Amino acid sequence: MVRNFFSYVFALVLMAADYVAIMAAFAAAYIIRVDIDGRQLIRDIQGWEFMLIMAVLLPLWIAVFAALGLYRQDVYRRKLRELMLLVIGSAVGMLLVIAYDFANLDTIFPARRVPIYAAFLTVIFLWIGRWVMSIIRRRLFRVGYGVANVLVIGNTHMTTEVIRQLRRTEHTGHRIVAAMSNTKWLREFSGMNIARMTNLTEALEFMGSGKVNVVIQTERYSDPKKNQKIINTAHSNHIGYKFVPHEDGILSSNLQVDLLAGIPVVSAYPTALIGWGRILKRAYDIVLAVVGLIASLPIWFVVALVIRFTDPKGPVLYMHKRVTRYGKTIKVYKLRSMYWEYCAGKKTEEQIFAEMGRKDLLAEWKENQKVDNDPRIMPIGRLIRKYSLDELPQLWNVLLGDLSLIGPRAVTKKELDRYAKSSPLFLSIKPGVTGLWQVSGRNEDTYDERIALDLYYVRNWSFLLDLKITYLTIGAVLKGSGK
């Protein structure tokens, strides 16, 4: 967890450093041509105005870098490849700036040589900036910040190779803390402070100790159950899993091939929502949540008044405990749709339905965690549920980071038992205000079908899928197909 956070923060800082480097290159180009070179200019543009235009255009340049992968670890740790992509990205970025200049009625450059000077200076400044950032990263690794503790499992020659390549923590950002392997592979590392295990049971227990950030497996066991135990234990404890192949033909839907200190490894992820996809999804959440909250304030006010007059005993907002990513408990906000005496949490559903003389509804509740024509719901509650207005306060949960706008259902701890062995997978991402099951039949799906749709979303996330669900959710809400 700490290691992943460090990687994301470093990538964001690297992005900011690139932005500053490009801005500095254009500033230097402007000074060289305008202040030092005394020849006539094609446009008399002030320095502050020129730099303001560049400041607005350069995010597109940074987006090109991100698309080329310049903020991924496997790129910025390979200097030759990084330099090549910096040159390519800078050429594309400069073309975008020139295209904007061409489309403008008046040129944004004081002279034609400014973009030429800037093109050369950009690559130089970017390279210097990234060299400084690599030094800072190594210094942080040296003092232990952002370092991943590694457990190596396997009896192949790659076990020795992995330990040998990763032993220089200041360069790799990894620290070998334990190994489960035969002694012959660890003989040359007798001087290292490595916890040694002789069987898989000990290794699995160590993975649950909280002392490991990454597990590297160097051997595929002939018994598939052993391999699955390692992956499941890694995912259950929310630690990274990497496999170092010593044969070809390893394929899987959520595997990613990386280079770790020059060694080819395969990272197994429980979900497709990783890396920059997670950052993009969070940005999407924030933008839509802010817009949604502002736009829905009048609706909140009207609905709140009706709830207050209908059932003045209870509050307008109702908070319910749900489970979010990694099993953390959160309070989810909703506009109250039930009579307060039925949603205060003092009685179970069995007691409530018994007192109402509606024990016939209990079986339906146990099966689907909902009841058609629920007598506990107020008249205004039926209306706001029909158009999903009761869920508007959850946009605040989205801003807080407890929920995502789109994701699997937010369930209670009791409901989580129904996910059985799939619960670690389900808890690998944040639940959503809306999701795939809501737009795939809404409440008409059975509970098991809803679970299947939730797990499908976790495994197969994509930003395009989020956009599609957003579009379908808007349609479902306007049609009033909710219950």
Side-chain angles (χ1 to χ4, degrees):
M1 293 294 295
V2 174
R3 171 64 182 166
N4 286 339
F5 179 77
F6 175 82
S7 300
Y8 293 144
V9 171
F10 183 82
L12 290 173
V13 173
L14 188 60
M15 187 182 295
D18 285 348
Y19 186 92
V20 171
I22 301 171
M23 285 289 288
F26 274 99
Y30 179 92
I31 292 171
I32 292 171
R33 179 61 184 86
V34 176
D35 296 336
I36 299 177
D37 191 335
R39 286 175 294 178
Q40 187 177 356
L41 304 174
I42 60 175
R43 183 190 176 191
D44 187 16
I45 181 173
Q46 295 296 316
W48 68 267
E49 185 182 356
F50 174 73
M51 294 309 296
L52 181 61
I53 295 172
M54 290 300 106
V56 174
L57 292 177
L58 291 191
L60 292 175
W61 197 312
I62 298 300
V64 171
F65 280 7
L68 290 173
L70 276 161
Y71 303 109
R72 298 203 319 258
Q73 294 183 57
D74 60 315
V75 172
Y76 63 68
R77 286 185 173 181
R78 299 172 66 188
K79 292 305 176 186
L80 182 59
R81 185 182 179 189
E82 182 184 38
L83 178 59
M84 292 175 60
L85 289 177
L86 281 174
V87 172
I88 295 171
S90 296
V92 175
M94 185 61 74
L95 287 175
L96 289 174
V97 173
I98 293 174
Y100 177 83
D101 178 69
F102 182 80
N104 244 13
L105 293 176
D106 198 3
T107 180
I108 62 174
F109 296 111
R112 292 186 180 90
R113 291 196 178 188
V114 170
I116 297 175
Y117 294 156
F120 287 100
L121 291 173
T122 295
V123 176
I124 295 172
F125 285 11
L126 284 169
W127 185 248
I128 292 173
R130 284 181 169 245
W131 175 69
V132 172
M133 289 298 296
S134 66
I135 293 175
I136 293 173
R137 189 180 70 248
R138 287 199 298 270
R139 293 290 177 89
L140 291 173
F141 286 162
R142 191 172 298 171
V143 297
Y145 190 79
V147 173
N149 292 332
V150 179
L151 163 65
V152 183
I153 298 177
N155 291 311
T156 70
H157 67 284
M158 291 305 298
T159 304
T160 305
E161 187 65 19
V162 166
I163 297 176
R164 181 183 294 115
Q165 294 294 340
L166 295 184
R167 66 190 306 175
R168 299 183 66 190
T169 301
E170 67 271 18
H171 293 283
T172 66
H174 291 75
R175 181 192 298 115
I176 305 294
V177 296
M180 195 222 85
S181 181
N182 292 338
T183 345
K184 63 177 182 178
W185 298 115
L186 301 178
R187 193 172 298 135
E188 63 177 289
F189 305 107
S190 56
M192 294 180 63
N193 185 23
I194 299 176
R196 300 185 183 182
M197 294 133 201
T198 57
N199 58 70
L200 187 58
T201 302
E202 292 178 1
L204 295 176
E205 290 177 356
F206 192 82
M207 288 167 65
S209 66
K211 301 177 181 178
V212 182
N213 303 113
V214 178
V215 174
I216 300 179
Q217 187 178 352
T218 63
E219 174 188 13
R220 285 199 304 171
Y221 292 103
S222 56
D223 183 359
K225 292 182 179 179
K226 289 185 177 181
N227 300 311
Q228 197 60 49
K229 274 186 178 180
I230 297 172
I231 295 176
N232 288 345
T233 304
H235 290 169
S236 298
N237 290 281
H238 308 295
I239 59 180
Y241 172 87
K242 295 181 182 293
F243 176 71
V244 181
H246 55 274
E247 71 271 10
D248 298 325
I250 300 174
L251 298 173
S252 183
S253 58
N254 278 327
L255 296 184
Q256 181 175 307
V257 180
D258 299 314
L259 281 177
L260 180 64
I263 302 171
V265 298
V266 178
S267 299
Y269 299 99
T271 174
L273 183 57
I274 56 175
W276 286 100
R278 182 171 290 178
I279 295 175
L280 178 62
K281 184 176 177 66
R282 180 60 182 152
Y284 184 68
D285 284 347
I286 293 173
V287 171
L288 265 66
V290 170
V291 172
L293 282 170
I294 294 173
S296 64
L297 281 177
I299 300 175
W300 282 50
F301 181 72
V302 173
V303 173
L305 284 177
V306 177
I307 293 174
R308 176 60 66 186
F309 282 114
T310 302
D311 186 23
K313 296 178 182 178
V316 171
L317 287 179
Y318 176 62
M319 291 183 292
H320 199 267
K321 289 185 178 180
R322 299 296 172 103
V323 181
T324 188
R325 189 172 55 176
Y326 307 142
K328 178 184 175 183
T329 301
I330 59 170
K331 290 182 178 179
V332 173
Y333 300 96
K334 299 186 76 172
L335 286 169
R336 183 165 59 89
S337 58
M338 287 187 179
Y339 291 103
W340 180 241
E341 61 180 308
Y342 300 135
C343 62
K346 297 178 181 178
K347 299 178 182 179
T348 65
E349 278 71 24
E350 289 88 343
Q351 292 172 324
I352 292 173
F353 289 137
E355 291 177 2
M356 299 176 74
R358 295 299 306 273
K359 289 185 178 181
D360 56 301
L361 299 177
L362 190 56
E364 184 181 356
W365 168 262
K366 288 182 177 180
E367 176 64 24
N368 300 317
Q369 296 294 302
K370 64 183 181 68
V371 174
D372 288 334
N373 301 316
D374 196 328
R376 299 173 297 172
I377 300 175
M378 299 182 292
I380 181 61
R382 299 189 189 281
L383 179 65
I384 64 175
R385 284 195 176 196
K386 179 179 177 65
Y387 292 99
S388 301
L389 302 180
D390 58 321
E391 297 176 358
L392 286 176
Q394 291 177 30
L395 294 174
W396 180 248
N397 286 110
V398 174
L399 277 183
L400 293 176
D402 296 332
L403 298 177
S404 179
L405 192 69
I406 300 165
R409 295 185 321 114
V411 300
T412 63
K413 283 190 175 181
K414 186 177 180 181
E415 285 182 271
L416 194 60
D417 295 338
R418 300 187 68 163
Y419 285 76
K421 294 180 180 179
S422 299
S423 59
L425 174 63
F426 175 75
L427 293 174
S428 62
I429 70 173
K430 295 176 186 176
V433 177
T434 185
L436 188 58
W437 78 272
Q438 288 96 329
V439 298
S440 301
R442 302 277 280 179
N443 287 274
E444 287 74 27
D445 296 326
T446 66
Y447 200 92
D448 288 341
E449 288 171 339
R450 283 184 256 167
I451 291 176
L453 289 169
D454 282 343
L455 297 179
Y456 175 88
Y457 176 85
V458 174
R459 291 191 182 100
N460 300 279
W461 175 88
S462 71
F463 188 63
L464 288 177
L465 179 58
D466 273 4
L467 292 177
K468 182 178 180 180
I469 292 173
T470 302
Y471 170 75
L472 292 175
T473 298
I474 294 172
V477 170
L478 293 177
K479 291 176 183 177
S481 55
K483 292 184 181 180

